[in-house]
Amino acid sequence: MTIAVRPRPALRFRGRSFLALVLAPEVPLRDWLEDLDAVSERSPGFFSGRPIIADVSNLKPSKSELKFLLAAFKMRNIRIVGLEGAAPENVEPDMPPQITGGKPAGEIDIHEGSENAAAAATPAAHSPADDKTLMIEGSVRSGQSILHPEGDVTVLGSVASGAEIVAGGSIHVYGALRGRAIAGCTGNSRARIFCRKFEAELIAIDGLYKTADDLGSKFHGQPIQVNLDGDSIILQTLD
């Protein structure tokens, strides 16, 4: 009698890349945390559910200082999934692990930042010639996040309050921009933000940001473009 033995399938390992935000605290730490609180207050939920890497290279913290920093993040509901730049002897087993070898976000093949984004914001068909531009036909609803680090994002509708667009290149909004627009997220200081009606909660290019409170009412409701001039965010009305 012959018994057939079915071979066990081979164990498979698959690589997958995820885009994480990096927070790099600076001294004086108290002032830096106050600025962090200001961002969270003006844009509630900005850090919610996001994987965050804490780059402590500038601080060079002792073990006790590192514990204090991690506790400060925890109090603010900021989820730290890894550390960069910490001395190995100061990282205890219950702390987030040391992470090395990070690559620029532009090498990560991600087109949307949330699973439900496609429900109301569907990318249009496009040819290989414009693969680096993500086009959203329609509007982006509150609570949705569109993440496209490979290039520009164009929204044919509006971006609602509480919604977010994050692009490696420029952001073009043909309707009203009421949510958050973060351009040049992979270090592109030449990126710009364009919109037909400016009512943004937050705008950022290459890590520099301004909130609605910082911007005042001068450009509210107007068609504008945003660009960087050195370390300054410049707003101009579109003719």
Side-chain angles (χ1 to χ4, degrees):
M1 180 169 121
T2 303
I3 299 175
V5 179
R6 183 174 298 174
R8 180 179 295 180
L11 186 64
R12 300 179 67 185
F13 295 90
R14 293 180 178 177
R16 183 172 297 175
S17 297
F18 294 90
L19 188 70
L21 296 180
V22 177
L23 290 177
E26 299 178 354
V27 291
L29 183 58
R30 185 179 300 275
D31 292 346
W32 187 87
L33 289 172
E34 288 180 357
D35 291 340
L36 185 66
D37 290 338
V39 174
S40 297
E41 182 178 346
R42 294 166 181 169
S43 299
F46 183 77
F47 297 107
S48 178
R50 295 179 181 276
I52 309 292
I53 306 296
D55 180 356
V56 297
S57 304
N58 294 327
L59 294 181
K60 296 180 173 58
S62 64
K63 184 179 295 186
S64 60
E65 291 169 337
L66 186 57
K67 287 182 177 180
F68 169 80
L69 177 63
L70 292 173
F73 283 131
K74 187 174 182 179
M75 288 175 56
R76 291 162 172 81
N77 294 317
I78 296 177
R79 182 168 55 112
I80 302 298
V81 299
L83 295 169
E84 278 190 313
E89 63 270 18
N90 293 334
V91 180
E92 295 187 341
D94 60 342
M95 292 181 178
Q98 289 267 52
I99 292 180
T100 59
K103 295 181 180 180
E107 298 182 13
I108 299 174
D109 188 17
I110 301 173
H111 293 287
E112 294 184 12
S114 64
E115 293 180 358
N116 66 345
T122 304
H126 53 271
S127 65
D130 54 14
D131 274 345
K132 292 187 177 181
T133 296
L134 177 65
M135 183 175 293
I136 306 299
E137 290 191 345
S139 295
V140 183
R141 293 197 306 254
S142 179
Q144 292 183 325
S145 179
I146 304 298
L147 176 61
H148 183 61
E150 280 101 356
D152 294 1
V153 173
T154 297
V155 181
L156 299 184
S158 297
V159 178
S161 177
E164 178 182 76
I165 306 292
V166 182
S170 298
I171 296 173
H172 308 257
V173 180
Y174 280 72
L177 172 58
R178 299 188 177 97
R180 299 181 292 270
I182 301 169
C185 70
T186 57
N188 182 1
S189 61
R190 300 179 63 184
R192 299 193 177 202
I193 299 170
F194 303 87
C195 72
R196 182 165 293 177
K197 187 177 183 182
F198 182 72
E199 299 176 359
E201 297 169 342
L202 178 145
I203 53 173
I205 299 177
D206 190 20
L208 297 176
Y209 73 91
K210 282 186 178 292
T211 65
D213 291 344
D214 299 325
L215 295 167
S217 59
K218 179 179 179 181
F219 296 98
H220 188 82
Q222 298 190 53
I224 62 118
Q225 69 164 316
V226 185
N227 65 281
L228 287 185
D229 183 3
D231 290 334
S232 299
I233 293 181
I234 307 298
L235 282 78
Q236 302 176 60
T237 56
L238 293 170
D239 296 331

